[in-house]
Amino acid sequence: MDTWTSSSSNSYTITSPVYQKFLDEAGDGPLTDDLLQCLAEELISLDERDASIGPLNPNKEKSNQESSREDDRVMGLNMFSEIASRGSGTVLGSGLVLDDTVTWRKGEVLGRGAYGTVYCGLTSQGQLIAVKQVILDSSDADAANKEYSRLQGEVELLKTLRHINIVGFLGTSLQQHVVSIFMEYIPGGSIASIIHRFGPLPERVLALYTQQILEGVAYLHVNRVIHRDLKGNNVMLMPTGVIKLIDFGCARRLSCMHHTTCNSVDLLKSVHGTPYWMAPEIINETGYGRKSDIWSVGCTVFEMATGKPPLAHMDKMAALFYIGAQRGLMPSLPDSFSENAKEFVKICLTSDQKLRPSADQLLKHSFIPTNVT
């Protein structure tokens, strides 16, 4: 068993309005069976109401769409975990409650990458977490310090990110040259694994997932953060349909001090990412900015729609040369998809990053649903 200390200043609370209503009614008294039954009935009725609305409701005002969209997503979080954990710590968006010091046990491997191994963990409170671990090289002090500094940068970024479409950060520990980063556990798996299990996504589901990816990316960009490695493996799915962006090992914060003065031409000249999802400017090392994430969004949408990223029929080096040369057109979505979907991917995969739309602009594209059911 290991332990880590969680700072309450690094926690955040997301509570469903329906759930909060029942907590208010309960007050300091017990959560009786009657209250829980009423809550369950209310949730079921909300699901039935949402299903009856349909994908589009032109009579619904924009303000109502925007306010209900966030409420519907918050509703998708694990409220029964919140009920079970009420009154003992800080409630996180996944229903996880942390005391100041948490004991945990390492479980199976959830994934491996260039920046560490992610394990499933079980806390002493009986809750599942994701733990990213990196073993520092104890034989090379300089290399260990460099790696530790990089991990500190990742942690500092994660601490500041509070959004429903960004994985929740819980805490860190350093024990015997092993750095652990504790995060919200997302049981649905990655979008890449979902595609592997179920095949390419139907257009309606594709659009709903794309909307949430864009909202997460827009949040990052307004906070001067660029992800630099968006792809199906780094987009996770909650069982409720909520999308979470993960793996900020490559992410960087733009260097300008005030994000209001930043724009898409703020660039970082370093190569990061995965070949099939890389923008031309990354390959050519002409600078990476917010718009490079937009290219990766287009590749991820293509991946969700077809099961593979663009140019997957080529080997990695051939794909890099093709994208970097900017001489050939990127493939379009199959004819079975709507013109809106095809155009969305096309404008994301515009070679000149200055001509690519921003995440906020893409959220207004006709491919993106105007309300979420």
Side-chain angles (χ1 to χ4, degrees):
M1 300 289 284
D2 297 307
T3 62
W4 94 87
T5 301
S6 171
S7 169
S8 59
S9 64
N10 293 336
S11 300
Y12 59 99
T13 302
I14 301 178
T15 306
S16 157
V18 174
Y19 174 56
Q20 188 61 56
K21 169 188 170 185
F22 282 92
L23 287 185
D24 292 341
E25 290 182 4
D28 295 327
L31 285 171
T32 65
D33 290 342
D34 288 341
L35 271 176
L36 293 177
Q37 183 177 352
C38 289
L39 173 57
E41 290 173 354
E42 179 70 12
L43 294 178
I44 292 170
S45 69
L46 281 173
D47 286 342
E48 291 173 348
R49 183 203 66 190
D50 290 344
S52 67
I53 292 175
L56 296 176
N57 187 346
N59 296 322
K60 198 171 187 180
E61 294 183 358
K62 181 178 179 182
S63 60
N64 290 337
Q65 294 170 6
E66 292 174 347
S67 61
S68 66
R69 179 187 306 162
E70 192 71 14
D71 289 346
D72 287 345
R73 291 203 189 144
V74 172
M75 282 288 301
L77 302 176
N78 190 342
M79 288 165 288
F80 290 99
S81 290
E82 291 178 331
I83 292 171
S85 306
R86 183 182 175 219
S88 59
T90 303
V91 180
L92 291 154
S94 62
L96 182 63
V97 177
L98 300 182
D99 293 322
D100 288 338
T101 300
V102 176
T103 304
W104 67 284
R105 185 187 298 273
K106 184 188 293 186
E108 75 274 15
V109 173
L110 298 176
R112 287 188 174 92
Y115 296 96
T117 302
V118 180
Y119 298 90
C120 183
L122 179 67
T123 74
S124 54
Q125 300 167 342
Q127 296 156 318
L128 294 175
I129 57 174
V131 186
K132 178 177 180 179
Q133 289 196 321
V134 178
I135 301 175
L136 302 178
D137 186 356
S138 58
S139 65
D140 187 336
D142 289 339
N145 287 333
K146 183 177 180 180
E147 181 67 4
Y148 186 62
S149 295
R150 188 193 65 76
L151 289 169
Q152 281 183 312
E154 180 179 354
V155 167
E156 290 306 311
L157 266 183
L158 284 169
K159 282 181 180 179
T160 65
L161 302 179
R162 296 289 179 267
H163 190 272
I164 193 164
N165 298 124
I166 305 293
V167 65
F169 170 80
L170 308 181
T172 58
S173 75
L174 172 60
Q175 292 183 333
Q176 297 179 340
H177 302 287
V178 177
V179 179
S180 299
I181 302 174
F182 302 92
M183 295 169 290
E184 174 183 20
Y185 175 61
I186 307 173
S190 70
I191 287 296
S193 71
I194 296 296
I195 295 169
H196 180 74
R197 290 163 61 191
F198 300 103
L201 305 177
E203 184 164 330
R204 166 137 181 86
V205 175
L206 175 69
L208 291 173
Y209 289 176
T210 301
Q211 179 179 44
Q212 296 182 73
I213 292 170
L214 284 173
E215 288 179 345
V217 170
Y219 172 82
L220 292 178
H221 288 181
V222 79
N223 285 281
R224 300 180 289 121
V225 175
I226 48 179
H227 189 284
R228 301 205 291 179
D229 198 16
L230 289 168
K231 57 183 178 180
N233 276 324
N234 289 338
V235 178
M236 303 292 286
L237 178 67
M238 296 288 282
T240 54
V242 175
I243 289 292
K244 303 271 188 180
L245 304 184
I246 66 163
D247 199 347
F248 289 82
C250 291
R252 287 286 299 274
R253 177 157 264 146
L254 293 169
S255 58
C256 54
M257 294 300 293
H258 303 290
H259 68 80
T260 53
T261 64
C262 293
N263 53 51
S264 59
V265 299
D266 294 308
L267 302 176
L268 297 171
K269 292 189 176 181
S270 56
V271 177
H272 288 279
T274 309
Y276 294 109
W277 291 262
M278 280 186 181
E281 62 271 16
I282 307 173
I283 297 168
N284 295 324
E285 298 187 76
T286 55
Y288 193 111
R290 291 177 174 91
K291 297 295 185 68
S292 302
D293 275 350
I294 299 303
W295 177 282
S296 299
V297 168
C299 293
T300 303
V301 175
F302 191 98
E303 177 188 8
M304 291 191 291
T306 67
K308 296 180 180 180
L311 308 179
H313 62 284
M314 299 182 180
D315 65 39
K316 291 182 179 179
M317 289 306 297
L320 285 176
F321 279 115
Y322 185 94
I323 298 169
Q326 303 182 41
R327 292 177 182 172
L329 293 175
M330 294 295 288
S332 61
L333 289 181
D335 291 338
S336 57
F337 287 90
S338 68
E339 291 303 317
N340 284 336
K342 292 179 185 177
E343 186 199 29
F344 182 93
V345 171
K346 181 179 179 181
I347 61 177
C348 287
L349 301 183
T350 301
S351 292
D352 187 347
Q353 64 174 318
K354 295 178 182 178
L355 302 179
R356 277 177 229 146
S358 67
D360 282 332
Q361 290 170 330
L362 286 173
L363 280 167
K364 300 173 184 176
H365 192 276
S366 52
F367 170 62
I368 301 300
T370 54
N371 72 329
V372 179
T373 60

